[in-house]
Amino acid sequence: MWVLNVESYRKKLYENNITHVLSVIKASLERLGEEAKRFKHMSIDIDDDESSDILVHFPAAVRFIDDGLHPHGSQTREAEGTTPASPKNGVYVHCAMGKSRSVSCVVAYLLYKYPHRFGGKQFTDSPASTQRRRLTAKEAVTSALECVREGRPGAEPNPGFMQQLELWWEMGCPADDEGAVERHPTYQKWLYDGMLQEARDMRVAPDAERIRFEDEVRAEEKEEDDATVTQRNEKEARCKKCRRTLATPNFLVSHTPTGEAASSTCAHIFIDTLSWMRPMLEEGALDGRLVCPNSKCGATVGRFAWQGLQCTCKQWVVPAFSLNRSRVDEVSSRPIGSSAIRMPPGRNGSL
């Protein structure tokens, strides 16, 4: 329950020319009586808990803050080299302790409004620039948090909120409308990973209806295609018995610390969750066999384990969808439309 000293609160609002109040907690201004009508108020009812989803509220929060500070120029980001006009109005952002929830929203706003100050995509190298590289998400968020700490030394978002701020930065701080985050693939994948973690903690398989099949998701998102990844000379995996393609290169999952391709000595080839696995995963088992989807074949090609598997190289993959290297062939893929022609014996193809 949010408690305030009405007289002190009213005085602070007037002294700082506050026009907007953002409460990152369940709150109202009704105790101000009729004076409450003088302020625009938004309340985000959320707990200060690492598992709380504050990311989904960032678009509404930053739009509200920007509307308060720049009522006639809302939704415009500061360009590099420009001198921002000092806002005539003030926005009061608070939670219970002014330490985690409210600070997270202010940091989200700084990252959104002034991206070039933190090495964002809008940043362009120039001879006058003092910043010579783009910052990682963690560095950008930490830098924005330090700006807040200049005026609020105790600012300390909880670790879960810090992670979500990093995701916000990686997503490009989408705030075109209040649903911008919800539509973003990165957010949807983050929610999915959270659901899987919750299922693992409960030692149960995830809800079959909520399983994410990467080939279907990427087809909708029109992401990287096979032609692009084959330029990196990667290989696809095919059933050794019937030659049915099981996973193209862009669905292979690296399990090495460096993110490079796994060693050929590894017994497992880890892949994304793919739609041909649906019949096996819908049974609701924590682990089981992966069977070739060719109905005339039905060979066992690997196994899955929602709790994870350890490869022979000692690396863990969680969750794990593994093809047994002895049960598949690894074949170089060619982009669609390639004109490779097999020449007759004794001919090298030269004219």
Side-chain angles (χ1 to χ4, degrees):
M1 183 66 180
W2 181 52
V3 180
L4 75 160
N5 181 301
V6 177
E7 289 304 320
S8 176
Y9 185 68
R10 180 188 294 110
K11 182 178 180 182
K12 290 293 183 181
L13 293 179
Y14 291 153
E15 287 178 352
N16 293 280
N17 198 28
I18 299 297
T19 59
H20 291 58
V21 177
L22 174 58
S23 304
V24 197
I25 190 174
K26 186 176 182 179
S28 73
L29 303 183
E30 61 182 16
R31 293 182 63 186
L32 292 178
E34 287 296 314
E35 289 181 279
K37 297 179 181 179
R38 297 185 55 178
F39 308 99
K40 287 189 177 181
H41 181 235
M42 173 185 286
S43 176
I44 299 175
D45 186 9
I46 186 172
D47 294 327
D48 183 18
D49 184 275
E50 291 186 31
S51 63
S52 294
D53 182 1
I54 197 171
L55 177 57
V56 73
H57 298 290
F58 284 160
V62 302
R63 289 162 65 88
F64 182 81
I65 295 172
D66 204 42
D67 181 62
L69 295 178
H70 309 283
H72 303 298
S74 197
Q75 297 305 298
T76 57
R77 303 187 183 191
E78 181 191 273
E80 182 185 10
T82 62
T83 302
S86 298
K88 297 180 180 180
N89 301 327
V91 179
Y92 177 49
V93 185
H94 76 95
C95 52
M97 302 297 293
K99 181 178 180 180
S100 181
R101 288 167 285 187
S102 58
V103 170
S104 296
C105 288
V106 173
V107 170
Y109 178 73
L110 293 178
L111 294 172
Y112 160 78
K113 189 69 175 181
Y114 311 106
H116 74 274
R117 297 187 181 185
F118 309 106
K121 293 181 179 179
Q122 292 75 17
F123 170 74
T124 304
D125 259 343
S126 68
S129 297
T130 56
Q131 190 170 16
R132 309 312 302 172
R133 65 183 179 87
R134 298 192 187 282
L135 301 181
T136 65
K138 185 174 183 178
E139 290 172 325
V141 171
T142 300
S143 180
L145 178 57
E146 288 303 318
C147 291
V148 176
R149 283 175 174 160
E150 291 179 10
R152 186 73 176 178
E156 192 67 46
N158 70 53
F161 289 176
M162 288 292 286
Q163 180 195 24
Q164 291 176 60
L165 282 165
E166 291 174 19
L167 286 174
W168 169 248
W169 178 253
E170 290 173 353
M171 292 162 61
C173 306
D176 291 340
D177 55 69
E178 294 186 10
V181 161
E182 292 180 275
R183 295 192 302 271
H184 201 286
T186 298
Y187 175 76
Q188 294 170 2
K189 182 63 165 61
W190 176 73
L191 282 184
Y192 180 69
D193 289 341
M195 184 272 287
L196 294 185
Q197 182 61 58
E198 184 178 348
R200 287 195 295 271
D201 291 344
M202 298 174 64
R203 297 186 179 278
V204 297
D207 183 347
E209 294 184 358
R210 298 177 63 189
I211 294 175
R212 172 185 169 111
F213 297 102
E214 289 299 322
D215 51 339
E216 295 177 346
V217 172
R218 296 186 196 180
E220 293 178 0
E221 297 170 358
K222 298 181 180 179
E223 289 188 349
E224 183 181 40
D225 60 18
D226 290 344
T228 301
V229 294
T230 51
Q231 293 174 6
R232 299 196 292 264
N233 197 32
E234 295 182 8
K235 298 180 179 181
E236 65 181 30
R238 298 179 183 175
C239 173
K240 181 164 285 188
K241 184 177 179 181
C242 72
R243 308 291 292 169
R244 203 274 196 189
T245 298
L246 301 173
T248 51
N250 48 328
F251 295 111
L252 301 181
V253 176
S254 172
H255 63 284
T256 64
T258 59
E260 298 174 352
S263 168
S264 59
T265 60
C266 291
H268 301 275
I269 300 173
F270 292 98
I271 62 178
D272 285 315
T273 321
L274 301 175
S275 56
W276 61 263
M277 304 174 187
R278 184 178 274 110
M280 291 151 272
L281 301 184
E282 286 183 339
E283 294 179 1
L286 272 174
D287 54 61
R289 298 185 305 155
L290 290 178
V291 178
C292 176
N294 182 348
S295 60
K296 296 182 179 180
C297 175
T300 297
V301 292
R303 59 179 298 200
F304 70 90
W306 289 108
Q307 300 287 57
L309 285 174
Q310 186 178 34
C311 184
T312 51
C313 67
K314 306 302 181 183
Q315 294 294 326
W316 274 90
V317 176
V318 183
F321 301 88
S322 162
L323 299 177
N324 190 316
R325 197 168 235 114
S326 65
R327 301 293 183 90
V328 301
D329 287 325
E330 297 174 79
V331 183
S332 295
S333 298
R334 293 185 183 277
I336 297 174
S338 62
S339 57
I341 300 176
R342 185 186 295 272
M343 300 301 294
R347 300 284 298 273
N348 61 9
S350 59
L351 295 177

